[in-house]
Amino acid sequence: MDVHTLEKLQFGHVRSSLADCCACTLGKGLARQLEPARKVSAVRGWFEQVRQMERAFDEIAVPPLGGVHDIRAHVRDASQPAGLEPHDLCRISETLIATSNICRWLVSLPEDLPLIHKIGERIGDFGAVGQQINRAIDERGLIRDDASKKLLNIRRSIDHQREEIRRIYSRILRKTEVLRILQYPNTTMRGSRTVLPLKTEYRGRLKGIVHSSSDTGSTLFIEPAGVVEANNSIVSLKESERKEIARILAELSYLVHQNEKEIFRTLEAVAVIDLIAGKVRYKKSRKAVCPEIPDNYHLVLHQARHPVLLDLAREDENKTVVPIDVRLGDDFDLLIITGPNTGGKTVTLKTIGLISLMAQCGIPIPAGAGSKVPLYQRIHIDVGDEQSIEQSLSTFSSHLSNILKTLREAKKNSLVLLDELGSGTDPDEGAAIGRAIIDELAGIGCSGVVTTHLSALKSIAFGNDRIDNGSVEFDPKTLRPTYHLRLGEPGNSNALIIAQRLGMPKKMVKRAKGYLSKRGKAINKVIAATLDSRRQAERARLEANDSMLSAEQQRIHYMQEVRKLEEERTAQYQWYEWVNSIKPNQEVYVRKFETTAKVVRLNLQRQTAIVSSGAVEMEVHLNELVQPEKAPDSD
């Protein structure tokens, strides 16, 4: 799909909203890179992944993705001679330990979620690697004393030498003659050396090495002779410590490098798990559905809402989104929508386009059950600023150039969306050009939606059974659009109604009606004559669809109940098998007392068991016995 179409339909907003529903950086990154697919089997598979993940949400738990980071750059750097820094290894460790949690979650899932299990097969359990890093580096990114036996001995020696220095200084600072020649009675640091602040005028009174002086020159920082050897030892030990830490980091980095391919494969699979989980959260938060993906190009949307407007309404309680029912490709291919300005024509057109893009990415759509979205091989769109008052010739030329490009590229498997066709020029010429464009689209046989203000384009549908009219409703009492879409009914600009309600004298309204063209009057008569029958036909279609949806929902509910009963029956059978295999002294969990106990003996005829807990024996019904690993607190 070309960038122009994605931008005009605001697909970037949907990708960002989906990314916000993901739990970690990996999934968010995938969400922001989603591209529409054209392969039916792939898209159906993506929606089945969402359905299976939703079952996992509802029956088990959400995927435990806490602690997962995008560590790919760090893993690549592990092969470098310098190795990794402690903080980098900490981040890797946290992520690798998180893979253990994901593996346990996958094991807990029902077996009849094959698509989730298939992704899970690529996730390795690197908890042991993460724990090995943790044993060497703490959560602050500091190397632990016991990261190696050698490091522990070095640090103990450093502590010993530091204690020796403290003892030496303690003896020195207890001497009155020394305190008298110091600027202040405490030690201080110069570089890595512990020194005393000697007054300059007493130079030579204290034996030792002068390391530096104060900015004013009044103080000399001297290391007493008795401390030099201990400080030298610390410096040497510190160098040994640095080398040992470097060896430990290199060893841990190499451990990560050894597992690089498996870690990358795991991260890719975790990203997919997070993306699917994000789609489930998006679905639940927007009351969206996974649409059917038909083999043909029949589009059916029930109660569809524009995704961007829906997000705005979720943030503002005062805003609402009016849902629409629309179809294409079944009894007609092209829909011409007319009606008042700002009445929702453009929103309808964009809703169809954006929802089609979402479906092709496997993203649940904000629509009702029974919705169907085909995979169009290309979506073409030409949409301008529907709020503009004046349009220049250059704007008209630009739109016409886009439309002509669309006509050259569109195929039968395309979806074409043209907004305000014929506007920006003389109405008669605009209508003539618009009609020629619609005729060309009809000849191509593609699906399409055209919005227009031009009444002359309404009549096209009466001469071609693959073209139909639609309109956005207008309330003449409030002089406001209702934003409801009606299929089979062309709309009116309602200019005369608005003028009359705003106070235009009746004689002026009558005179204005007389100026309407004969062709326009004839079209309105045809519309009026067929309006009742079209409305009845649409009502009948909606009722039939509702009946089919209700039957399908009942079928799904029945299948869910059957599956639930099968699971209960299997669990009961497994329990019977286990009870019959219980031996004396075998450990069991007793629900009644919420504790484990040992079986003394069973009485299968009476369906009871004698169990002991400590020195206490008690009789319980067999139904109270549970396998210890299936006890409520077994996790």
Side-chain angles (χ1 to χ4, degrees):
M1 211 65 67
D2 63 274
V3 176
H4 172 265
T5 297
L6 300 181
E7 287 180 352
K8 287 295 183 181
L9 291 174
Q10 297 176 274
F11 187 59
H13 176 95
V14 173
R15 284 193 285 209
S16 294
S17 295
L18 178 59
D20 291 340
C21 293
C22 295
C24 66
T25 310
L26 294 168
K28 293 177 186 294
L30 278 187
R32 291 192 175 96
Q33 296 169 6
L34 280 181
E35 292 288 341
R38 296 184 175 92
K39 195 173 181 180
V40 171
S41 59
V43 176
R44 285 175 179 168
W46 292 340
F47 279 122
E48 182 56 28
Q49 288 175 345
V50 174
R51 294 185 190 98
Q52 292 185 17
M53 182 64 78
E54 188 168 17
R55 272 193 60 201
F57 266 53
D58 297 340
E59 297 178 18
I60 305 299
V62 301
L65 295 164
V68 174
H69 308 288
D70 185 357
I71 57 172
R72 288 173 294 187
H74 298 324
V75 174
R76 279 191 289 267
D77 290 343
S79 62
Q80 301 299 317
L84 295 168
E85 293 295 322
H87 285 290
D88 298 337
L89 284 164
C90 275
R91 201 167 179 82
I92 289 173
S93 170
E94 188 176 4
T95 299
L96 296 185
I97 289 173
T99 64
S100 294
N101 300 329
I102 299 170
C103 288
R104 283 195 292 272
W105 174 78
L106 287 163
V107 170
S108 71
L109 296 181
E111 292 182 2
D112 58 343
L113 302 179
L115 296 183
I116 306 302
H117 283 294
K118 187 175 181 180
I119 299 168
E121 290 171 0
R122 308 202 307 268
I123 297 178
D125 187 344
F126 292 99
V129 176
Q131 292 295 349
Q132 188 168 339
I133 295 172
N134 271 2
R135 284 193 290 272
I137 306 172
D138 67 19
E139 62 279 1
R140 298 167 297 172
L142 302 177
I143 307 299
R144 298 182 189 274
D145 291 346
D146 57 354
S148 73
K149 188 174 181 180
K150 183 177 180 179
L151 182 63
L152 182 61
N153 289 334
I154 290 171
R155 287 184 171 175
R156 283 176 176 173
S157 297
I158 290 173
D159 289 341
H160 175 75
Q161 292 299 327
R162 283 174 174 162
E163 184 58 34
E164 179 64 22
I165 289 171
R166 279 194 291 272
R167 284 198 296 269
I168 293 172
Y169 274 120
S170 180
R171 288 197 300 270
I172 292 174
L173 292 172
R174 281 199 297 267
K175 297 177 180 179
T176 305
E177 63 273 21
V178 172
L179 293 175
R180 188 164 41 82
I181 63 177
L182 297 179
Q183 287 284 12
Y184 45 86
N186 289 313
T187 59
T188 186
M189 298 296 295
R190 275 298 178 268
S192 60
R193 320 291 287 200
T194 308
V195 295
L196 289 172
L198 180 69
K199 294 177 181 178
T200 303
E201 60 267 28
Y202 293 110
R203 180 193 289 269
R205 294 285 296 273
L206 187 64
K207 291 183 179 180
I209 299 172
V210 176
H211 285 282
S212 62
S213 61
S214 64
D215 292 339
T216 61
S218 62
T219 305
L220 298 174
F221 297 103
I222 187 169
E223 183 181 14
V227 179
V228 172
E229 185 177 346
N231 264 332
N232 285 341
S233 179
I234 288 177
V235 171
S236 176
L237 287 168
K238 278 288 187 181
E239 178 61 19
S240 298
E241 179 189 37
R242 185 192 65 76
K243 290 179 179 178
E244 180 60 10
I245 288 174
R247 186 196 66 78
I248 292 168
L249 293 177
E251 188 177 277
L252 294 174
S253 297
Y254 183 67
L255 177 63
V256 173
H257 174 60
Q258 280 182 310
N259 292 280
E260 180 177 332
K261 289 183 180 179
E262 293 78 9
I263 291 173
F264 271 111
R265 186 168 63 244
T266 291
L267 294 175
E268 289 170 1
V270 168
V272 175
I273 289 288
D274 188 25
L275 176 63
I276 300 170
K279 289 179 179 180
V280 173
R281 293 188 186 93
Y282 185 92
K283 179 177 184 292
K284 288 176 174 289
S285 62
R286 273 83 174 170
K287 296 181 181 178
V289 298
C290 294
E292 179 185 335
I293 307 298
D295 292 316
N296 52 34
Y297 291 96
H298 292 182
L299 171 82
V300 180
L301 295 180
H302 298 296
Q303 298 294 288
R305 294 150 290 155
H306 192 284
V308 178
L309 296 182
L310 180 61
D311 284 352
L312 293 174
R314 292 176 69 239
E315 297 172 0
D316 187 345
E317 295 180 356
N318 296 319
K319 292 182 178 179
T320 58
V321 182
V322 179
I324 61 168
D325 288 343
V326 67
R327 65 182 184 275
L328 286 174
D330 184 6
D331 51 330
F332 60 88
D333 301 314
L334 298 177
L335 179 64
I336 301 173
I337 304 177
T338 49
N341 196 20
T342 69
K345 299 191 302 298
T346 303
V347 169
T348 296
L349 179 141
K350 288 185 173 182
T351 300
I352 295 169
L354 186 50
I355 282 180
S356 296
L357 289 177
M358 292 173 66
Q360 291 185 228
C361 292
I363 303 174
I365 62 172
S371 294
K372 301 177 183 180
V373 183
L375 298 192
Y376 298 109
Q377 296 302 298
R378 185 83 181 269
I379 298 177
H380 304 268
I381 183 169
D382 180 75
V383 58
D385 182 5
E386 65 271 22
Q387 300 300 327
S388 64
I389 299 174
E390 295 178 356
Q391 290 180 301
S392 65
L393 179 61
S394 60
T395 303
F396 170 77
S397 300
S398 174
H399 285 298
L400 186 57
S401 296
N402 289 336
I403 293 171
L404 293 176
K405 182 175 181 289
T406 293
L407 294 177
R408 290 193 297 270
E409 297 175 352
K411 301 289 189 297
K412 192 170 183 178
N413 53 21
S414 299
L415 173 65
V416 176
L417 306 170
L418 305 179
D419 190 37
E420 299 297 354
L421 183 63
S423 61
T425 187
D426 177 82
D428 288 339
E429 291 185 349
I433 293 172
R435 187 177 188 103
I437 290 170
I438 293 172
D439 287 344
E440 186 67 20
L441 291 175
I444 293 170
C446 61
S447 299
V449 179
V450 174
T451 72
T452 182
H453 281 301
L454 301 176
S455 298
L457 298 182
K458 301 175 188 177
S459 62
I460 300 176
F462 296 103
N464 190 322
D465 59 3
R466 300 307 299 171
I467 303 175
D468 205 350
N469 284 311
S471 62
V472 285
E473 285 184 345
F474 179 84
D475 188 340
K477 294 181 180 178
T478 62
L479 302 183
R480 291 180 179 178
T482 66
Y483 303 105
H484 288 288
L485 176 66
R486 283 189 177 274
L487 296 182
E489 299 183 23
N492 295 305
S493 66
N494 297 288
L496 292 175
I497 296 175
I498 294 173
Q500 188 170 0
R501 286 192 59 83
L502 290 176
M504 179 180 279
K506 290 183 179 180
K507 64 177 183 179
M508 289 180 65
V509 173
K510 184 177 180 180
R511 186 182 306 161
K513 288 180 179 178
Y515 290 145
L516 291 173
S517 68
K518 292 181 179 180
R519 181 178 177 81
K521 292 177 181 179
I523 292 172
N524 289 335
K525 286 183 180 179
V526 172
I527 292 171
T530 60
L531 199 54
D532 287 341
S533 59
R534 287 306 304 266
R535 285 181 176 174
Q536 289 176 9
E538 281 301 312
R539 276 197 296 269
R541 178 185 283 271
L542 289 174
E543 289 172 0
N545 285 336
D546 290 343
S547 297
M548 286 190 292
L549 285 175
S550 178
E552 177 63 14
Q553 289 170 351
Q554 289 178 8
R555 186 189 69 81
I556 293 172
H557 178 71
Y558 170 75
M559 294 303 296
Q560 289 173 340
E561 289 299 312
V562 168
R563 188 179 70 224
K564 184 178 178 182
L565 289 172
E566 285 294 329
E567 290 173 352
E568 291 175 353
R569 185 187 305 167
T570 300
Q572 190 70 13
Y573 175 77
Q574 291 173 344
W575 181 82
Y576 280 131
E577 290 284 303
W578 172 72
V579 167
N580 285 315
S581 69
I582 292 177
K583 300 289 189 295
N585 289 323
Q586 183 172 330
E587 194 172 74
V588 297
Y589 180 83
V590 185
R591 273 192 293 238
K592 183 177 182 180
F593 301 110
E594 298 182 348
T595 187
T596 54
K598 288 188 176 180
V599 173
V600 178
R601 62 181 177 276
L602 294 177
N603 188 332
L604 295 178
Q605 187 173 358
R606 293 181 55 194
Q607 293 288 295
T608 60
I610 304 296
V611 297
S612 66
S613 179
V616 179
E617 289 191 359
M618 51 205 131
E619 184 178 38
V620 296
H621 195 278
L622 292 182
N623 286 337
E624 298 292 339
L625 304 185
V626 181
Q627 291 172 266
E629 60 269 23
K630 294 184 178 180
D633 59 347
S634 60
D635 292 335

